[in-house]
Amino acid sequence: MGQAAFYRWDGDALVLRVKAQPRASRDEVMGAHGDCWRIRITAPPVDGAANAHLIKFLARLFQVSPAQVTLEGGDTARIKRFRIQSPAVLPEGITRS
């Protein structure tokens, strides 16, 4: 089975394209939505709060330290690109192959 359009592997790093929905009632992965992985987060999109919250959320989800999650693009946009170095856990819908 081929890899989904919302992520790719770059060596041991997972590059993930995320569509963020801030100010949600809870933090949750909504799943693939076109070429993005839709994630709802409780943080507001103010002064980088949503980006910092997304980094912590992704770190918990992939069981890595927040230092292993880097925002590579989309700092002020809803669609963002993250690099997750050596994820320990792969959520449903993401495979190593």
Side-chain angles (χ1 to χ4, degrees), residues 58-72:
L58 289 170
R60 281 193 311 270
L61 195 62
F62 289 93
Q63 294 185 8
V64 297
S65 77
Q68 290 173 263
V69 181
T70 307
L71 176 60
E72 289 192 329

Side-chain angles (χ1 to χ4, degrees), residues 35-62:
D35 64 348
C36 296
W37 210 35
R38 205 169 117 211
I39 298 178
R40 296 171 27 141
I41 55 167
T42 56
V46 179
D47 297 329
N51 290 337
H53 192 87
L54 260 172
I55 287 171
K56 289 177 186 171
F57 179 73
L58 289 170
R60 281 193 311 270
L61 195 62
F62 289 93

Side-chain angles (χ1 to χ4, degrees), residues 14-96:
L14 175 67
V15 179
L16 188 62
R17 188 173 158 96
V18 170
K19 182 172 185 176
Q21 180 186 338
R23 288 197 178 117
S25 59
R26 64 181 180 176
D27 295 335
E28 63 184 327
V29 174
M30 300 301 294
H33 187 260
D35 64 348
C36 296
W37 210 35
R38 205 169 117 211
I39 298 178
R40 296 171 27 141
I41 55 167
T42 56
V46 179
D47 297 329
N51 290 337
H53 192 87
L54 260 172
I55 287 171
K56 289 177 186 171
F57 179 73
L58 289 170
R60 281 193 311 270
L61 195 62
F62 289 93
Q63 294 185 8
V64 297
S65 77
Q68 290 173 263
V69 181
T70 307
L71 176 60
E72 289 192 329
D75 187 44
T76 58
R78 283 202 178 206
I79 296 178
K80 303 173 182 301
R81 189 177 65 251
F82 289 94
R83 177 176 294 268
I84 301 160
Q85 191 61 47
S86 303
V89 170
L90 297 177
E92 186 177 329
I94 298 178
T95 61
R96 184 68 174 117

